[in-house]
Amino acid sequence: LGWRPFRYRPSPTDYPAYEDMRDRFLRGPQGRAALMKGGIIWRLAISTVSILNVFDGPSDEVLNHGRVLMDGESGALVDDDLSDEELSLISGVYNVYTNNGSQMAQESWWPKYNTWKDSGADVGYWSSFNEVFFQNRLAAIRGKTASLRSAHDWRIALKFDRRTPRTISANRQVSSAFL
């Protein structure tokens, strides 16, 4: 969402402008990829992109915005994916100068994809707890009481049970080995 000055505080028009930019982006071929990411990215996309888009299969843009899932003897399987920049757009990330030369920090309306994925909030599905978190955060943003958060601040805010990420990782490894 661009660069902002040191000690930047969003104006009342910044969140609606971000939502408009995000939603216009999600109406393109990357909307399906956002739903397929799951977690906070899925939640931010689901009010704009129909879940039925997932069943349409890879978009016509898959060769430009895709990833290889398997490259076997019969050819490559590809699917839509999102770049780090696209994930940052969906999460509402700003680059904010730190008053230390050209150094900047990233601050966002919502947790970045990797921060969410590595947190205790990512339990492999969108839980009722996740929805309460989302609705509370959205109400705070719309009520003008929320501020942008750094990745560090998001990690603290999303730290519930520190064993959750290890448990999920172990579960995924066992499931993958089983399949």
Side-chain angles (χ1 to χ4, degrees):
L1 296 177
W3 296 83
R4 298 295 188 265
F6 178 60
R7 292 190 181 150
Y8 173 71
R9 297 293 168 250
S11 75
T13 60
D14 282 343
Y15 191 76
Y18 146 71
E19 284 183 305
D20 182 59
M21 185 181 298
R22 178 197 69 205
D23 293 349
R24 279 187 286 123
F25 171 76
L26 289 171
R27 287 186 193 103
Q30 292 84 359
R32 177 182 176 277
L35 292 178
M36 303 269 301
K37 277 292 186 190
I40 193 67
I41 300 299
W42 169 85
R43 184 60 184 86
L44 291 165
I46 195 66
S47 61
T48 303
V49 184
S50 169
I51 194 72
L52 297 176
N53 288 9
V54 171
F55 302 115
D56 289 342
S59 72
D60 293 338
E61 294 292 317
V62 71
L63 297 179
N64 298 321
H65 301 282
R67 65 184 165 114
V68 176
L69 299 173
M70 184 186 338
D71 194 3
E73 291 178 17
S74 60
L77 298 177
V78 295
D79 203 357
D80 294 307
D81 202 5
L82 297 166
S83 68
D84 288 340
E85 292 80 17
E86 292 167 332
L87 290 167
S88 290
L89 167 64
I90 296 169
S91 294
V93 175
Y94 296 92
N95 296 308
V96 181
Y97 285 104
T98 64
N99 206 29
N100 185 11
S102 62
Q103 186 178 19
M104 64 89 191
Q106 291 191 322
E107 296 182 3
S108 60
W109 292 110
W110 298 99
K112 292 173 69 175
Y113 172 72
N114 285 330
T115 304
W116 180 269
K117 189 177 170 199
D118 295 338
S119 77
D122 183 12
V123 294
Y125 61 94
W126 191 256
S127 70
S128 58
F129 179 83
N130 294 144
E131 187 61 23
V132 168
F133 158 80
F134 181 85
Q135 293 300 329
N136 288 341
R137 174 70 179 168
L138 187 59
I141 292 169
R142 293 208 169 125
K144 317 251 184 303
T145 59
S147 60
L148 299 173
R149 291 184 174 174
S150 67
H152 174 72
D153 292 340
W154 278 118
R155 278 190 294 276
I156 291 169
L158 297 173
K159 195 175 213 177
F160 305 115
D161 186 340
R162 36 195 268 169
R163 297 172 297 180
T164 301
R166 276 196 318 250
T167 303
I168 290 171
S169 177
N171 190 17
R172 287 181 179 149
Q173 287 176 357
V174 169
S175 297
S176 179
F178 179 75
L179 295 175

